[in-house]
Amino acid sequence: MAYEDFVSRLNPESMIVRPGSKIKIKDFDPGYKGDFQKGEALEILQLGIKELAKYQDMLYAQDTYALLIILQALDAAGKDSTIKHVMSGINPQGCQVFSFKAPSAEELDHDYLWRSYKALPERGRIGIFNRSYYEEVLVVRVHPELLAKQQLPADKKNKYIWKQRFEEINNFEKYLVNNGIVVLKFFLNVSKEEQKRRFLKRIELPEKNWKFSTSDARERQFWDDYMEAYEDVFNYTSTELAPWHIIPADHKWFTRTAVAYFIYEKMKSLNLAYPKVSEEHYAELLKAKEMLETEY
């Protein structure tokens, strides 16, 4: 399949939240899979994984850019499995994954971006945030009692706090991009029906019991609240420097192929290359070569 044909069938433009637009999540089909069959998509994914490995090696060697991949989703959307499959060919030395849970007492004594800032990838590395600082305008918004626990001055906990945080996050991401940390943001868009099916599977299969908590089921009661919060996130924080990608997540094989495509395209756009050594360094390499070849 020609690459151009693959892209047209994938229709990546339909998954990008255009900066300045006002979207509704209901307009993004979580069951979309283009006209791909599973086997075909998996073959494409394997090719993409090989290409990502090449780019990651150049990213590491060049040591100029870092890539920050943010994965947001409701429970059971496939964040963990997406990381596992898309990054399966990457050198572990050049990749790091952080999962952000409920903040600790120490983290609550700092600003809400502090723990994320500490986890940013170094130059030459890929960093993956499994959930991120966006939880501060999602779960904290849906559950106001969490905001009450944050050590903020009383006058800062007002009705303007969410728009203020959107602005702060946009400024933070602009700062990152301006310093060579490329930001790629993905929302894995799973339907409520598919989430229910996956939850039931986790309950029915003993080897998946550990992945399920009764709190996961309780959170479904807030589905509409989460959708409203996510829509505001997309409408206020999808920028030219760091746009949001809404990835259909009812078919995991399609999700992984689409995410790999966007990572591949972003890395390709960086014009990565292996560093060229100076003439002096190359002359030293030739001397070393001569020494090795004349060894007894």
Side-chain angles (χ1 to χ4, degrees), residues 4-136:
E4 294 76 12
D5 182 45
F6 161 70
V7 173
S8 66
R9 292 171 62 188
L10 185 70
N11 193 15
E13 292 296 316
S14 67
M15 304 177 209
I16 301 173
V17 179
R18 290 300 165 194
S21 63
K22 298 296 180 183
I23 63 97
K24 292 289 184 182
I25 293 180
K26 66 179 178 62
D27 295 330
F28 291 79
D29 179 11
Y32 176 78
K33 55 181 179 178
D35 62 351
F36 292 102
Q37 299 298 316
K38 182 177 180 179
E40 182 182 30
L42 291 177
E43 288 181 12
I44 295 168
L45 175 60
Q46 290 307 311
L47 293 174
I49 288 171
K50 291 180 181 179
E51 289 300 310
L52 288 179
K54 294 177 184 178
Y55 279 118
Q56 185 265 331
D57 197 48
M58 287 188 282
L59 178 79
Y60 188 81
Q62 185 172 299
D63 199 28
T64 301
Y65 290 103
L67 177 61
L68 174 62
I69 298 171
I70 292 174
L71 289 174
Q72 288 288 154
L74 297 180
D75 293 315
K79 298 187 302 299
D80 292 343
S81 64
T82 296
I83 295 169
K84 175 181 177 181
H85 286 82
V86 174
M87 296 297 164
S88 61
I90 298 296
N91 183 340
Q93 293 187 94
C95 186
Q96 60 199 51
V97 181
F98 286 91
S99 296
F100 292 95
K101 307 296 184 182
S104 66
E106 180 189 18
E107 289 166 344
L108 287 172
D109 274 337
H110 289 269
D111 65 274
Y112 69 93
L113 289 173
W114 179 74
R115 64 175 183 167
S116 298
Y117 192 86
K118 292 199 307 175
L120 290 172
E122 307 164 24
R123 297 190 190 280
R125 294 169 66 88
I126 296 174
I128 302 173
F129 283 2
N130 186 340
R131 301 189 187 276
S132 68
Y133 44 84
Y134 279 100
E135 295 293 284
E136 297 293 333

Side-chain angles (χ1 to χ4, degrees), residues 202-270:
R202 290 180 178 183
I203 295 171
E204 293 164 359
L205 297 178
E207 66 271 22
K208 292 185 177 291
N209 288 171
W210 65 274
K211 298 185 72 175
F212 185 77
S213 167
T214 53
S215 63
D216 297 336
R218 286 196 296 270
E219 283 297 284
R220 280 174 61 84
Q221 300 173 34
F222 302 96
W223 185 277
D224 292 341
D225 296 323
Y226 274 111
M227 291 300 103
E228 182 179 349
Y230 266 111
E231 285 176 357
D232 273 355
V233 164
F234 302 145
N235 290 331
Y236 284 101
T237 67
S238 194
T239 63
E240 292 291 346
L241 293 176
W244 274 101
H245 302 77
I246 300 181
I247 308 296
D250 277 6
H251 302 284
K252 289 186 178 182
W253 52 269
F254 181 84
T255 304
R256 297 160 188 166
T257 303
V259 168
Y261 163 79
F262 284 113
I263 298 173
Y264 166 78
E265 282 293 312
K266 177 56 68 176
M267 296 188 78
K268 185 172 69 171
S269 73
L270 299 178

